[in-house]
Amino acid sequence: MSELHLALDRLRPQLCHCGLKGECLGCKGIEMVRAQAEAVVAAASQPILIQVAQESSMKDMTTRFQAMSERLMADPDIRRSAEQMQERLMADPETRQLLEELMRRLGTPPDESS
């Protein structure tokens, strides 16, 4: 961007008719081109910024979810209830088939030990 600014600064005196006061069509044109170039650069970098923000948000959410899971599983009653629920779900053939299909779609091999 700095090379573009330098080129516009060198071009401005050649187009200026107002003594570089910013009042003539040449000065206003240069400023318009400068603003448009900055807008293009900002727009071009926006998807990357959004992606970085989304990734950061996902990492934060994952960290929070893991911490919550660890706190919950530290409670013996909740852990026992979760294990019982898992056993009941996996005992149902239709539920097991749906979970295996979901795992295949996610690219994770199903747990053969359950």
Side-chain angles (χ1 to χ4, degrees), residues 58-113:
M58 288 298 293
K59 286 179 184 175
D60 180 53
M61 187 172 65
T62 301
T63 301
R64 288 180 181 206
F65 184 75
Q66 287 173 341
M68 180 186 67
S69 296
E70 288 170 4
R71 282 194 308 273
L72 289 173
M73 288 298 126
D75 183 324
D77 293 332
I78 293 175
R79 183 183 207 83
R80 194 170 26 261
S81 294
E83 289 169 355
Q84 289 172 352
M85 185 177 79
Q86 182 181 6
E87 288 172 10
R88 285 187 203 137
L89 282 172
M90 295 311 284
D92 179 29
E94 186 177 342
T95 302
R96 185 179 181 94
Q97 182 181 8
L98 289 171
L99 285 173
E100 288 174 355
E101 176 64 24
L102 176 63
M103 292 300 164
R104 264 194 303 278
R105 288 183 183 190
L106 293 174
T108 307
D111 184 15
E112 298 296 330
S113 63

Side-chain angles (χ1 to χ4, degrees), residues 9-62:
D9 290 342
R10 283 193 303 269
L11 183 60
R12 187 174 184 167
Q14 297 172 23
L15 300 175
C16 177
H17 297 286
C18 67
L20 300 175
K21 295 178 186 173
E23 300 169 350
C24 71
L25 193 56
C27 289
K28 289 179 183 179
I30 292 293
E31 288 309 310
M32 182 185 72
V33 170
R34 185 185 310 267
Q36 287 178 343
E38 290 172 357
V40 167
V41 169
S45 65
Q46 187 176 6
I48 292 170
L49 294 176
I50 290 172
Q51 181 180 352
V52 168
Q54 287 173 338
E55 289 174 4
S56 176
S57 177
M58 288 298 293
K59 286 179 184 175
D60 180 53
M61 187 172 65
T62 301

